[in-house]
Amino acid sequence: MPVIFRRIERWREFLKQDKEKILSERVIKGLVGELVYLQQHIAVKYGMAQAIDFWTGPEGSPQDFNIQNAAIEVKCQIGTSTPKVRISSAEQLCAQLEELYLFVVTLGKTEPESEGVVSLPLLIEKIQSDLEKSGESSQLERFKDTLLDMGYVYSTSYLTYSYIIASKSFYEVTDEFPRIPLNNIPNGVGKVTYDLALTSCEPFLIDEPWVTKQ
């Protein structure tokens, strides 16, 4: 019952908001990247229910996923001649776990009817369907609650933001990786945000270690 009451209260808050308002494109792209990684990578190896447990970013973790002793930060970019991703805090590329990786999804804009299209509604529908078929009702509710907390409520407007996956890249973040370490931030600097040029990251490209190859 407490779960039901919490959901009702969340829906009350959403109903007070502008019903035409949707997430910004920046947030949409970020969430698309995380759900692509969750569904097409982690769930392939560990199952969807376990993948939901590994998705720790919405709970306040500096990185989007924690898998055992490894942290994974997911970034999404639209294909350009100067590939780069925005690092929104120094903590994102400075994990407290033994291993740290960066997963980058490159997207291209397309029409909702295109073959192989990805969008928030389609990704969410597939994940929810998988959880329903496997009888993981508690994880399904957890997934829905996470989306509500992030401000997502289904709208056909989200289909406007449809993409194809152009490429995926997996990087190992080591001490030599191009980043701003926490111990290099001067006293008095409260937050660090910077653009990371992906061409400089190419020496750190690796195969994803724990995903079953298809």
Side-chain angles (χ1 to χ4, degrees), residues 58-190:
E59 299 172 358
S61 171
Q63 290 80 39
D64 297 307
F65 294 89
N66 284 342
I67 302 177
Q68 299 168 3
N69 66 334
I72 303 94
E73 178 62 26
V74 177
K75 292 296 179 182
C76 202
Q77 64 153 351
I78 298 294
T80 64
S81 58
T82 55
K84 62 183 178 180
V85 293
R86 174 59 57 91
I87 307 302
S88 57
S89 71
E91 287 79 9
Q92 284 189 337
L93 294 185
C94 298
Q96 296 179 346
L97 299 179
E98 294 179 20
E99 302 170 15
L100 175 60
Y101 302 95
L102 174 66
F103 179 79
V104 177
V105 183
T106 300
L107 301 176
K109 283 194 171 184
T110 190
E111 298 300 321
E113 302 81 14
S114 300
E115 184 178 354
V117 66
V118 293
S119 65
L120 277 186
L122 289 176
L123 287 165
I124 291 167
E125 180 183 3
K126 289 177 182 177
I127 292 170
Q128 291 183 163
S129 176
D130 193 331
L131 291 169
E132 288 171 355
K133 289 177 181 177
S134 60
E136 298 286 351
S137 58
S138 61
Q139 290 296 72
L140 176 60
E141 292 305 308
R142 178 179 176 180
F143 180 63
K144 290 180 177 179
D145 285 344
T146 297
L147 294 174
L148 283 175
D149 287 341
M150 296 177 77
Y152 175 84
V153 177
Y154 174 80
S155 168
T156 55
S157 297
Y158 282 110
L159 296 174
T160 304
Y161 300 94
S162 295
Y163 309 94
I164 56 170
I165 298 175
S167 66
K168 303 175 186 178
S169 302
F170 199 79
Y171 305 87
E172 183 177 17
V173 180
T174 65
D175 290 342
E176 294 75 29
F177 191 86
R179 59 177 176 166
I180 299 178
L182 291 174
N183 58 11
N184 277 3
I185 299 175
N187 291 334
V189 176

